[in-house]
Amino acid sequence: QVQPVESGGGLVQAGGSLRLSCAASGRTFSNYGMGWFRQAPGKEREFVAAINRIGGVTFIANSVKGRFTISRDNAKNTVYLQMNSLEPEDTAVYYCAATRGSVTTNVHNYDYWGQGNQVTVSS
């Protein structure tokens, strides 16, 4: 199994950028599809981006398409979420998750979750 741990969140002004990292323990990181989700206060957890085991296939939510990019480095057991042109609506706790199956946009298909990392975008 893997244990994801997020880092890189914080406070940024609208229009700025942040890069989230998710380091996953375990020797079998490359066996897992990885996803990013977020949850704003009072809202359900929503899909942001996902990447398959070898990084050849990615999915991006329409709400962040063109602004966010997901990538992974299997040699470093790490997946990244590059966030550009941030908007106040992007404010949320961002979660990294791992799936033993195929990557999807469905939160219920992910088996292991990080504790979350706060991203706050000020206007």
Side-chain angles (χ1 to χ4, degrees):
Q1 66 181 46
V2 293
Q3 179 56 55
V5 178
E6 306 94 341
S7 62
L11 174 65
V12 64
Q13 288 188 332
S17 298
L18 282 175
R19 188 176 78 158
L20 301 182
S21 298
C22 173
S25 62
R27 297 183 179 180
T28 58
F29 176 74
S30 60
N31 289 345
Y32 293 84
M34 301 298 295
W36 286 98
F37 293 79
R38 67 185 183 186
Q39 188 166 18
K43 294 187 177 181
E44 294 186 351
R45 193 168 298 188
E46 66 173 1
F47 169 77
V48 177
I51 189 166
N52 73 340
R53 296 182 181 90
I54 61 173
V57 177
T58 61
F59 300 95
I60 303 291
N62 288 335
S63 58
V64 303
K65 193 167 291 183
R67 301 188 296 122
F68 290 14
T69 304
I70 187 171
S71 61
R72 69 187 293 162
D73 185 340
N74 286 345
K76 295 182 178 179
N77 282 17
T78 302
V79 61
Y80 305 97
L81 184 68
Q82 178 66 44
M83 306 185 293
N84 299 328
S85 302
L86 283 160
E87 303 168 353
E89 293 74 20
D90 296 318
T91 296
V93 176
Y94 282 71
Y95 296 90
C96 176
T99 176
R100 290 169 293 186
S102 299
V103 289
T104 73
T105 63
N106 190 333
V107 64
H108 301 293
N109 287 354
Y110 288 78
D111 307 294
Y112 304 102
W113 290 83
Q115 292 189 330
N117 202 261
Q118 178 70 45
V119 171
T120 303
V121 184
S122 63
S123 57

